[in-house]
mmCIF file with all atom_site columns, all heavy atoms in Angstrom:
data_model
loop_
_atom_site.group_PDB
_atom_site.id
_atom_site.type_symbol
_atom_site.label_atom_id
_atom_site.label_alt_id
_atom_site.label_comp_id
_atom_site.label_asym_id
_atom_site.label_entity_id
_atom_site.label_seq_id
_atom_site.pdbx_PDB_ins_code
_atom_site.Cartn_x
_atom_site.Cartn_y
_atom_site.Cartn_z
_atom_site.occupancy
_atom_site.B_iso_or_equiv
_atom_site.pdbx_formal_charge
_atom_site.auth_seq_id
_atom_site.auth_comp_id
_atom_site.auth_asym_id
_atom_site.auth_atom_id
_atom_site.pdbx_PDB_model_num
ATOM 1   N N   . PHE A 1 366 ? 96.564  101.220 124.162 1.00 0.00 ? 1485 PHE A N   1
ATOM 2   C CA  . PHE A 1 366 ? 95.542  100.519 123.386 1.00 0.00 ? 1485 PHE A CA  1
ATOM 3   C C   . PHE A 1 366 ? 96.151  99.630  122.308 1.00 0.00 ? 1485 PHE A C   1
ATOM 4   O O   . PHE A 1 366 ? 97.125  99.989  121.636 1.00 0.00 ? 1485 PHE A O   1
ATOM 5   C CB  . PHE A 1 366 ? 94.613  101.529 122.718 1.00 0.00 ? 1485 PHE A CB  1
ATOM 6   C CG  . PHE A 1 366 ? 93.475  100.885 121.965 1.00 0.00 ? 1485 PHE A CG  1
ATOM 7   C CD1 . PHE A 1 366 ? 92.324  100.483 122.629 1.00 0.00 ? 1485 PHE A CD1 1
ATOM 8   C CD2 . PHE A 1 366 ? 93.556  100.663 120.606 1.00 0.00 ? 1485 PHE A CD2 1
ATOM 9   C CE1 . PHE A 1 366 ? 91.274  99.880  121.944 1.00 0.00 ? 1485 PHE A CE1 1
ATOM 10  C CE2 . PHE A 1 366 ? 92.521  100.069 119.906 1.00 0.00 ? 1485 PHE A CE2 1
ATOM 11  C CZ  . PHE A 1 366 ? 91.378  99.669  120.586 1.00 0.00 ? 1485 PHE A CZ  1
ATOM 12  N N   . SER A 1 367 ? 95.588  98.472  122.152 1.00 0.00 ? 1486 SER A N   1
ATOM 13  C CA  . SER A 1 367 ? 95.887  97.603  121.018 1.00 0.00 ? 1486 SER A CA  1
ATOM 14  C C   . SER A 1 367 ? 94.601  96.884  120.651 1.00 0.00 ? 1486 SER A C   1
ATOM 15  O O   . SER A 1 367 ? 93.673  96.784  121.459 1.00 0.00 ? 1486 SER A O   1
ATOM 16  C CB  . SER A 1 367 ? 96.989  96.592  121.352 1.00 0.00 ? 1486 SER A CB  1
ATOM 17  O OG  . SER A 1 367 ? 96.591  95.755  122.427 1.00 0.00 ? 1486 SER A OG  1
ATOM 18  N N   . SER A 1 368 ? 94.541  96.403  119.448 1.00 0.00 ? 1487 SER A N   1
ATOM 19  C CA  . SER A 1 368 ? 93.307  95.807  118.939 1.00 0.00 ? 1487 SER A CA  1
ATOM 20  C C   . SER A 1 368 ? 93.567  94.394  118.435 1.00 0.00 ? 1487 SER A C   1
ATOM 21  O O   . SER A 1 368 ? 94.612  94.111  117.829 1.00 0.00 ? 1487 SER A O   1
ATOM 22  C CB  . SER A 1 368 ? 92.730  96.653  117.796 1.00 0.00 ? 1487 SER A CB  1
ATOM 23  O OG  . SER A 1 368 ? 91.576  96.050  117.255 1.00 0.00 ? 1487 SER A OG  1
ATOM 24  N N   . GLN A 1 369 ? 92.608  93.533  118.692 1.00 0.00 ? 1488 GLN A N   1
ATOM 25  C CA  . GLN A 1 369 ? 92.687  92.181  118.153 1.00 0.00 ? 1488 GLN A CA  1
ATOM 26  C C   . GLN A 1 369 ? 92.821  92.248  116.631 1.00 0.00 ? 1488 GLN A C   1
ATOM 27  O O   . GLN A 1 369 ? 92.240  93.100  115.972 1.00 0.00 ? 1488 GLN A O   1
ATOM 28  C CB  . GLN A 1 369 ? 91.430  91.397  118.532 1.00 0.00 ? 1488 GLN A CB  1
ATOM 29  C CG  . GLN A 1 369 ? 91.444  89.938  118.109 1.00 0.00 ? 1488 GLN A CG  1
ATOM 30  C CD  . GLN A 1 369 ? 90.172  89.218  118.524 1.00 0.00 ? 1488 GLN A CD  1
ATOM 31  O OE1 . GLN A 1 369 ? 89.327  89.781  119.218 1.00 0.00 ? 1488 GLN A OE1 1
ATOM 32  N NE2 . GLN A 1 369 ? 90.029  87.978  118.116 1.00 0.00 ? 1488 GLN A NE2 1
ATOM 33  N N   . ASP A 1 370 ? 93.604  91.341  116.075 1.00 0.00 ? 1489 ASP A N   1
ATOM 34  C CA  . ASP A 1 370 ? 93.859  91.217  114.641 1.00 0.00 ? 1489 ASP A CA  1
ATOM 35  C C   . ASP A 1 370 ? 94.930  92.177  114.137 1.00 0.00 ? 1489 ASP A C   1
ATOM 36  O O   . ASP A 1 370 ? 95.240  92.189  112.943 1.00 0.00 ? 1489 ASP A O   1
ATOM 37  C CB  . ASP A 1 370 ? 92.589  91.413  113.802 1.00 0.00 ? 1489 ASP A CB  1
ATOM 38  C CG  . ASP A 1 370 ? 91.482  90.421  114.174 1.00 0.00 ? 1489 ASP A CG  1
ATOM 39  O OD1 . ASP A 1 370 ? 91.818  89.299  114.592 1.00 0.00 ? 1489 ASP A OD1 1
ATOM 40  O OD2 . ASP A 1 370 ? 90.301  90.778  114.065 1.00 0.00 ? 1489 ASP A OD2 1
ATOM 41  N N   . TYR A 1 371 ? 95.492  92.997  115.026 1.00 0.00 ? 1490 TYR A N   1
ATOM 42  C CA  . TYR A 1 371 ? 96.604  93.882  114.678 1.00 0.00 ? 1490 TYR A CA  1
ATOM 43  C C   . TYR A 1 371 ? 97.805  93.522  115.542 1.00 0.00 ? 1490 TYR A C   1
ATOM 44  O O   . TYR A 1 371 ? 97.669  92.837  116.552 1.00 0.00 ? 1490 TYR A O   1
ATOM 45  C CB  . TYR A 1 371 ? 96.210  95.347  114.913 1.00 0.00 ? 1490 TYR A CB  1
ATOM 46  C CG  . TYR A 1 371 ? 95.262  95.908  113.883 1.00 0.00 ? 1490 TYR A CG  1
ATOM 47  C CD1 . TYR A 1 371 ? 93.879  95.724  114.014 1.00 0.00 ? 1490 TYR A CD1 1
ATOM 48  C CD2 . TYR A 1 371 ? 95.733  96.617  112.772 1.00 0.00 ? 1490 TYR A CD2 1
ATOM 49  C CE1 . TYR A 1 371 ? 93.003  96.233  113.073 1.00 0.00 ? 1490 TYR A CE1 1
ATOM 50  C CE2 . TYR A 1 371 ? 94.857  97.122  111.823 1.00 0.00 ? 1490 TYR A CE2 1
ATOM 51  C CZ  . TYR A 1 371 ? 93.495  96.932  111.976 1.00 0.00 ? 1490 TYR A CZ  1
ATOM 52  O OH  . TYR A 1 371 ? 92.625  97.433  111.029 1.00 0.00 ? 1490 TYR A OH  1
ATOM 53  N N   . PRO A 1 372 ? 99.012  93.979  115.156 1.00 0.00 ? 1491 PRO A N   1
ATOM 54  C CA  . PRO A 1 372 ? 100.185 93.700  115.982 1.00 0.00 ? 1491 PRO A CA  1
ATOM 55  C C   . PRO A 1 372 ? 99.969  94.174  117.417 1.00 0.00 ? 1491 PRO A C   1
ATOM 56  O O   . PRO A 1 372 ? 99.430  95.248  117.663 1.00 0.00 ? 1491 PRO A O   1
ATOM 57  C CB  . PRO A 1 372 ? 101.302 94.505  115.304 1.00 0.00 ? 1491 PRO A CB  1
ATOM 58  C CG  . PRO A 1 372 ? 100.865 94.629  113.883 1.00 0.00 ? 1491 PRO A CG  1
ATOM 59  C CD  . PRO A 1 372 ? 99.368  94.733  113.938 1.00 0.00 ? 1491 PRO A CD  1
ATOM 60  N N   . THR A 1 373 ? 100.398 93.348  118.372 1.00 0.00 ? 1492 THR A N   1
ATOM 61  C CA  . THR A 1 373 ? 100.189 93.670  119.787 1.00 0.00 ? 1492 THR A CA  1
ATOM 62  C C   . THR A 1 373 ? 101.502 93.875  120.536 1.00 0.00 ? 1492 THR A C   1
ATOM 63  O O   . THR A 1 373 ? 101.506 93.975  121.764 1.00 0.00 ? 1492 THR A O   1
ATOM 64  C CB  . THR A 1 373 ? 99.388  92.551  120.478 1.00 0.00 ? 1492 THR A CB  1
ATOM 65  O OG1 . THR A 1 373 ? 100.073 91.292  120.294 1.00 0.00 ? 1492 THR A OG1 1
ATOM 66  C CG2 . THR A 1 373 ? 97.985  92.450  119.907 1.00 0.00 ? 1492 THR A CG2 1
ATOM 67  N N   . ASP A 1 374 ? 102.620 93.944  119.812 1.00 0.00 ? 1493 ASP A N   1
ATOM 68  C CA  . ASP A 1 374 ? 103.910 94.124  120.479 1.00 0.00 ? 1493 ASP A CA  1
ATOM 69  C C   . ASP A 1 374 ? 104.161 95.587  120.850 1.00 0.00 ? 1493 ASP A C   1
ATOM 70  O O   . ASP A 1 374 ? 105.157 95.907  121.502 1.00 0.00 ? 1493 ASP A O   1
ATOM 71  C CB  . ASP A 1 374 ? 105.059 93.600  119.602 1.00 0.00 ? 1493 ASP A CB  1
ATOM 72  C CG  . ASP A 1 374 ? 105.106 94.285  118.233 1.00 0.00 ? 1493 ASP A CG  1
ATOM 73  O OD1 . ASP A 1 374 ? 104.078 94.871  117.824 1.00 0.00 ? 1493 ASP A OD1 1
ATOM 74  O OD2 . ASP A 1 374 ? 106.170 94.229  117.590 1.00 0.00 ? 1493 ASP A OD2 1
ATOM 75  N N   . HIS A 1 375 ? 103.266 96.482  120.435 1.00 0.00 ? 1494 HIS A N   1
ATOM 76  C CA  . HIS A 1 375 ? 103.358 97.891  120.804 1.00 0.00 ? 1494 HIS A CA  1
ATOM 77  C C   . HIS A 1 375 ? 101.957 98.504  120.730 1.00 0.00 ? 1494 HIS A C   1
ATOM 78  O O   . HIS A 1 375 ? 101.090 97.998  120.011 1.00 0.00 ? 1494 HIS A O   1
ATOM 79  C CB  . HIS A 1 375 ? 104.318 98.645  119.887 1.00 0.00 ? 1494 HIS A CB  1
ATOM 80  C CG  . HIS A 1 375 ? 103.884 98.659  118.455 1.00 0.00 ? 1494 HIS A CG  1
ATOM 81  N ND1 . HIS A 1 375 ? 104.038 97.574  117.611 1.00 0.00 ? 1494 HIS A ND1 1
ATOM 82  C CD2 . HIS A 1 375 ? 103.276 99.625  117.690 1.00 0.00 ? 1494 HIS A CD2 1
ATOM 83  C CE1 . HIS A 1 375 ? 103.567 97.863  116.409 1.00 0.00 ? 1494 HIS A CE1 1
ATOM 84  N NE2 . HIS A 1 375 ? 103.090 99.098  116.439 1.00 0.00 ? 1494 HIS A NE2 1
ATOM 85  N N   . PRO A 1 376 ? 101.701 99.580  121.483 1.00 0.00 ? 1495 PRO A N   1
ATOM 86  C CA  . PRO A 1 376 ? 100.376 100.211 121.428 1.00 0.00 ? 1495 PRO A CA  1
ATOM 87  C C   . PRO A 1 376 ? 100.069 100.700 120.007 1.00 0.00 ? 1495 PRO A C   1
ATOM 88  O O   . PRO A 1 376 ? 100.954 101.222 119.321 1.00 0.00 ? 1495 PRO A O   1
ATOM 89  C CB  . PRO A 1 376 ? 100.506 101.394 122.402 1.00 0.00 ? 1495 PRO A CB  1
ATOM 90  C CG  . PRO A 1 376 ? 101.628 101.031 123.299 1.00 0.00 ? 1495 PRO A CG  1
ATOM 91  C CD  . PRO A 1 376 ? 102.587 100.248 122.458 1.00 0.00 ? 1495 PRO A CD  1
ATOM 92  N N   . LEU A 1 377 ? 98.825  100.553 119.593 1.00 0.00 ? 1496 LEU A N   1
ATOM 93  C CA  . LEU A 1 377 ? 98.472  100.909 118.217 1.00 0.00 ? 1496 LEU A CA  1
ATOM 94  C C   . LEU A 1 377 ? 96.973  101.145 118.117 1.00 0.00 ? 1496 LEU A C   1
ATOM 95  O O   . LEU A 1 377 ? 96.189  100.291 118.537 1.00 0.00 ? 1496 LEU A O   1
ATOM 96  C CB  . LEU A 1 377 ? 98.922  99.817  117.256 1.00 0.00 ? 1496 LEU A CB  1
ATOM 97  C CG  . LEU A 1 377 ? 98.742  100.024 115.761 1.00 0.00 ? 1496 LEU A CG  1
ATOM 98  C CD1 . LEU A 1 377 ? 99.821  99.245  114.991 1.00 0.00 ? 1496 LEU A CD1 1
ATOM 99  C CD2 . LEU A 1 377 ? 97.363  99.549  115.293 1.00 0.00 ? 1496 LEU A CD2 1
ATOM 100 N N   . VAL A 1 378 ? 96.587  102.294 117.594 1.00 0.00 ? 1497 VAL A N   1
ATOM 101 C CA  . VAL A 1 378 ? 95.195  102.553 117.236 1.00 0.00 ? 1497 VAL A CA  1
ATOM 102 C C   . VAL A 1 378 ? 95.087  102.422 115.720 1.00 0.00 ? 1497 VAL A C   1
ATOM 103 O O   . VAL A 1 378 ? 95.674  103.235 114.989 1.00 0.00 ? 1497 VAL A O   1
ATOM 104 C CB  . VAL A 1 378 ? 94.734  103.967 117.661 1.00 0.00 ? 1497 VAL A CB  1
ATOM 105 C CG1 . VAL A 1 378 ? 93.281  104.200 117.235 1.00 0.00 ? 1497 VAL A CG1 1
ATOM 106 C CG2 . VAL A 1 378 ? 94.866  104.134 119.173 1.00 0.00 ? 1497 VAL A CG2 1
#
Side-chain angles (χ1 to χ4, degrees):
F1485 184 83
S1486 61
S1487 177
Q1488 184 180 354
D1489 303 329
Y1490 286 85
T1492 56
D1493 58 341
H1494 62 283
L1496 184 151
V1497 178

